[in-house]
Amino acid sequence: MFGNEIENPDQPEISSMGKYSIKELERLSGIKAHTIRIWEKRYNIIEPERTDTNIRFYSDDDLKKIINVSVLNSHGIKISKIVGLSPEELNVQVDKLSEVKNKAEIPIDQLVVAMLDLDEEHFEEILAKYVKKYGFEKTVTGIIYPFLEKIGVLWLTGSVTPAHEHFITNLIRQKLISTIAALPLPPKNSHRAILFLPEGETHELGLLFHHYIVRHSGFRTYYLGQSLPHEELKKIYETHRPQIIITSLTATPAHDKLEAYLKLLSSDFSRSTILASGWLLRNTAFKIPKNIRVFDKASELPDLLKSYK
């Protein structure tokens, strides 16, 4: 999912920020709705409000609290001990737990809380800690990927708002760009790669991570970004003659035009290998042209690049 951000173009209308059903709390926290209701009655751990039509709903604060409670409870801390902690103490306990446990679920839940708070500092602190511990690539594949998978599910179910989604994807985009900029520029005689998204395609996070991998692998890269007209791509191609072209197809082109578009890429850039990923390429019913290699995960990309070293 990270390769495509929140990838389904047919997303439902989103509920307003700060109003969550108990089922949405269940999806976010992993705690069954039945258990949440028991905790409400027995411990008064959260207290739902009601709409004018008497429908129960929960606030952002309720959601953040139940996520932190879930993290602590799932790691052996009894609910009877958790209920006495303030929101600040809950955060401290989750941070301490993340220091001694290596499970990815903890930072993922921490990132969800930072997203709900629109807390850039906390988000950056969490990422910096895990980049230092595991390195950048493992942090992306082991934490950011599954985090965005979770956010994608929540987006499709209407559990997060466009504000949440834009906030978090922009922070991750900035992180990727700054990390790429810090890499040394390979020599001009290195193998060359062009990275682009076709016209109308704006799901850029995955391509940015691919850019990091390709540059880190020693390629001279030409990153052309999102929504690039085909004729412009041809001009750059003729100037730089790359060995590899990398793209991702999530929302563009339309399904009935996908086969023709791949044939166009194959024909116009026949001297290069085209590495393509994205939601549109899953379970294709037609034959992929010979010089196009489809890959599903960014973790596959380093092996695909090895033959050019």
Side-chain angles (χ1 to χ4, degrees):
M1 169 69 73
F2 173 77
N4 310 311
E5 283 107 303
I6 295 168
E7 61 184 17
N8 192 325
D10 302 318
Q11 293 143 339
E13 186 176 341
I14 304 300
S15 57
S16 61
M17 185 181 295
K19 288 189 176 182
Y20 305 94
S21 70
I22 197 164
K23 280 296 182 182
E24 289 170 335
L25 260 65
E26 179 180 280
R27 281 192 289 261
L28 270 161
S29 68
I31 300 174
K32 296 294 184 183
H34 175 70
T35 302
I36 294 174
R37 289 194 181 98
I38 291 174
W39 288 355
E40 282 179 27
K41 293 178 180 179
R42 187 174 299 173
Y43 301 108
N44 197 31
I45 196 162
I46 52 176
E47 187 173 349
E49 300 178 55
R50 293 184 181 271
T51 66
D52 294 338
T53 54
N54 207 32
I55 297 173
R56 294 154 56 98
F57 70 90
Y58 300 83
S59 68
D60 285 328
D61 287 339
D62 293 330
L63 178 53
K64 289 180 286 185
K65 185 172 185 180
I66 207 69
I67 288 173
N68 281 336
V69 168
S70 172
V71 171
L72 296 179
N73 185 245
S74 66
H75 287 84
I77 301 177
K78 294 181 178 179
I79 188 64
S80 57
K81 292 185 177 181
I82 297 171
V83 292
L85 299 175
S86 69
E88 293 75 19
E89 290 170 331
L90 280 172
N91 283 330
V92 169
Q93 291 300 317
V94 170
D95 285 340
K96 286 182 179 178
L97 192 63
S98 71
E99 296 290 343
V100 296
K101 300 286 186 179
N102 289 324
K103 292 186 177 179
E105 292 88 347
I106 297 174
I108 291 168
D109 284 334
Q110 288 179 302
L111 291 176
V112 170
V113 171
M115 177 192 70
L116 294 169
D117 278 337
L118 302 182
D119 188 340
E120 182 173 351
E121 288 80 9
H122 191 204
F123 189 87
E124 291 285 353
E125 286 171 7
I126 294 165
L127 284 187
K129 178 169 67 175
Y130 286 96
V131 168
K132 183 177 180 181
K133 189 173 184 179
Y134 298 116
F136 184 72
E137 287 189 37
K138 287 186 177 180
T139 298
V140 170
T141 57
I143 295 174
I144 294 180
Y145 266 47
F147 165 69
L148 286 174
E149 288 279 2
K150 186 170 187 175
I151 297 308
V153 171
L154 297 172
W155 171 268
L156 294 174
T157 58
S159 302
V160 296
T161 70
H164 290 133
E165 188 266 332
H166 284 287
F167 172 78
I168 221 68
T169 54
N170 280 326
L171 283 184
I172 293 171
R173 183 177 182 275
Q174 291 168 20
K175 189 70 174 178
L176 286 164
I177 289 172
S178 63
T179 305
I180 293 165
L183 292 173
L185 187 65
K188 288 185 177 181
N189 62 352
S190 302
H191 288 302
R192 297 173 300 283
I194 284 177
L195 298 96
F196 82 101
L197 295 179
E199 194 164 12
E201 182 64 77
T202 60
H203 296 76
E204 191 181 16
L205 288 186
L207 194 72
L208 279 168
F209 187 48
H210 297 160
H211 186 196
Y212 169 83
I213 292 172
V214 177
R215 174 70 69 84
H216 193 256
S217 297
F219 281 73
R220 187 89 174 185
T221 55
Y222 303 91
Y223 187 82
L224 307 181
Q226 56 188 321
S227 197
L228 183 73
H230 188 75
E231 291 304 313
E232 295 301 315
L233 176 61
K234 288 171 65 176
K235 292 176 185 177
I236 300 298
Y237 179 82
E238 290 302 324
T239 300
H240 296 289
R241 299 296 180 94
Q243 286 79 20
I244 293 176
I245 298 174
I246 299 176
T247 191
S248 182
L249 309 176
T250 298
T252 299
H255 278 284
D256 59 348
K257 297 180 179 178
L258 178 60
E259 183 176 9
Y261 181 69
L262 293 179
K263 287 181 178 179
L264 179 66
L265 289 180
S266 175
S267 173
D268 284 351
F269 312 118
S270 59
R271 297 186 297 272
S272 299
T273 298
I274 301 164
L275 304 180
S277 66
W279 182 67
L280 287 176
L281 294 170
R282 295 175 187 172
N283 302 315
T284 52
F286 53 83
K287 187 176 181 180
I288 303 293
K290 287 184 178 181
N291 65 324
I292 297 180
R293 300 283 301 277
V294 174
F295 65 101
D296 185 40
K297 299 177 181 178
S299 57
E300 300 169 22
L301 192 51
D303 284 338
L304 293 172
L305 299 173
K306 282 181 180 178
S307 61
Y308 293 91
K309 290 187 176 182

